[in-house]
Amino acid sequence: LISCSSDKKKAQEERNNQKSLAAVVNYPLYNFATMIGGDKVEVFFPEIEGDPAYWQPDAASIEKFQNADLILLNGADYAKWTDKVSLPASTQVNTSKAFTDRLIEMKGEAHSHGPEGEHSHTGYAFTTWLDLKNAVEHAEAVHEAIMDLIPEEKELFTTNFKVVKDQLSELDGQLTQIIDDQEDLEVFASHPVYQYLAKGYGVDIISYHWEPDQVPSENAWREFEHELEHHSARAMLWEDEPIPEIRKKLEGMGVKVIVFNPGGNRNELDFISLMSKNVENLRAGLN
């Protein structure tokens, strides 16, 4: 009897110590789930080369998602592979569901860059979190999903979510102030990924399809010089630091380079620290 009681107690302790598994499709959701879930949730976000939005998973990654207790999706057509494989409907959570009326439709020509190959920026713009008010709603959806999964830890998760919400709201206020200080702000962007930044904060953004490690063609430079004559923009947003040749050419034209990393994939900084760095880069670049 003592042995049976001890075995049952040990089994119960093992179940209590076993973490729930949440699988996510991008870095913002990875950070939100990690910060809110704390040591109660294991978060799976695969190592991905290139943009996670266009990633094609291997069999091992698909199995990990299939076996997860929770699958956190971005929504807005992000990670289309999730519609093409068999994933349990009961574990999926669309974290942008609360603001589907604010999603931005877009059209674009097919083009190729990076390891993801040819694709087009059509359908919905999906870097939804770049309006940090949307990021708060993503985090809130993560919070609610984790609470439903482990209701006995509701107080812990709510406390953790408040920290995330306060930090994001603070950055949202800073972005609003920086842009409000600029009259009719207009900027260029090296890639069409800043739609929610533009809409959320009232910025006019003229987008290109330039890569930070590839020098634009002479024809592309001529077209850009023509655009300079017809726009007030004198700064360009980049997803990553462009090679010196590009920076030198732009600065020679009187255009400041502002690195504003969308943060969809892993970074040496956590998501909130990365957004904070982006805000400071924007402040310095527009000052």
Side-chain angles (χ1 to χ4, degrees), residues 47-273:
E47 295 287 341
I48 295 174
E49 182 182 359
D51 192 335
Y54 303 106
W55 177 65
Q56 296 298 317
D58 54 23
S61 296
I62 291 174
E63 184 178 5
K64 194 82 170 179
F65 272 82
Q66 290 172 331
N67 293 330
D69 301 293
L70 194 60
I71 299 174
L72 297 172
L73 304 173
N74 186 81
D77 291 341
Y78 195 98
K80 286 185 173 65
W81 70 266
T82 57
D83 295 327
K84 301 173 184 177
V85 301
S86 178
L87 297 175
S90 61
T91 59
Q92 296 182 49
V93 175
N94 176 358
T95 62
S96 63
K97 186 177 180 180
F99 57 91
T100 52
D101 60 324
R102 300 202 302 271
L103 296 181
I104 299 171
E105 290 191 60
M106 59 182 294
K107 296 180 181 180
E109 296 179 358
H111 63 286
S112 179
H113 61 84
E116 58 265 19
E118 184 174 90
H119 62 274
S120 64
H121 294 262
T122 58
Y124 288 111
F126 51 68
T127 50
T128 48
W129 58 88
L130 289 184
D131 179 345
L132 293 177
K133 292 176 284 296
N134 292 346
V136 170
E137 296 204 48
H138 277 299
E140 185 168 6
V142 171
H143 170 227
E144 291 174 355
I146 292 177
M147 278 201 307
D148 288 344
L149 185 65
I150 316 173
E152 62 271 21
E153 298 292 348
K154 177 180 178 180
E155 185 175 345
L156 170 66
F157 300 148
T158 299
T159 299
N160 292 346
F161 167 64
K162 186 178 185 305
V163 173
V164 175
K165 181 179 180 180
D166 288 348
Q167 291 177 334
L168 290 172
S169 297
E170 171 65 24
L171 289 172
D172 174 59
Q174 291 181 32
L175 263 179
T176 300
Q177 187 61 57
I178 291 168
I179 293 169
D180 282 353
D181 287 343
Q182 307 285 327
E183 186 174 348
D184 299 324
L185 179 61
E186 184 180 64
V187 298
F188 297 109
S190 65
H191 218 64
V193 294
Y194 299 103
Q195 297 89 347
Y196 292 93
L197 181 72
K199 183 178 179 181
Y201 301 97
V203 186
D204 187 9
I205 298 182
I206 305 109
S207 297
Y208 290 80
H209 289 280
W210 290 4
E211 300 302 321
D213 58 349
Q214 299 174 19
V215 178
S217 66
E218 286 301 317
N219 187 52
W221 282 120
R222 282 194 296 270
E223 290 178 359
F224 183 72
E225 285 180 312
H226 176 74
E227 289 296 306
L228 272 177
E229 296 174 1
H230 295 85
H231 292 281
S232 63
R234 290 298 179 268
M236 182 177 242
L237 304 179
W238 286 81
E239 298 170 277
D240 204 352
E241 175 65 34
I243 56 177
E245 186 176 346
I246 296 175
R247 176 181 277 276
K248 183 178 180 180
K249 181 84 170 179
L250 286 171
E251 290 177 347
M253 295 176 171
V255 177
K256 290 186 177 181
V257 169
I258 301 175
V259 176
F260 199 106
N261 189 327
N265 206 350
R266 292 180 185 274
N267 192 277
E268 60 185 12
L269 299 175
D270 64 81
F271 175 75
I272 290 176
S273 297

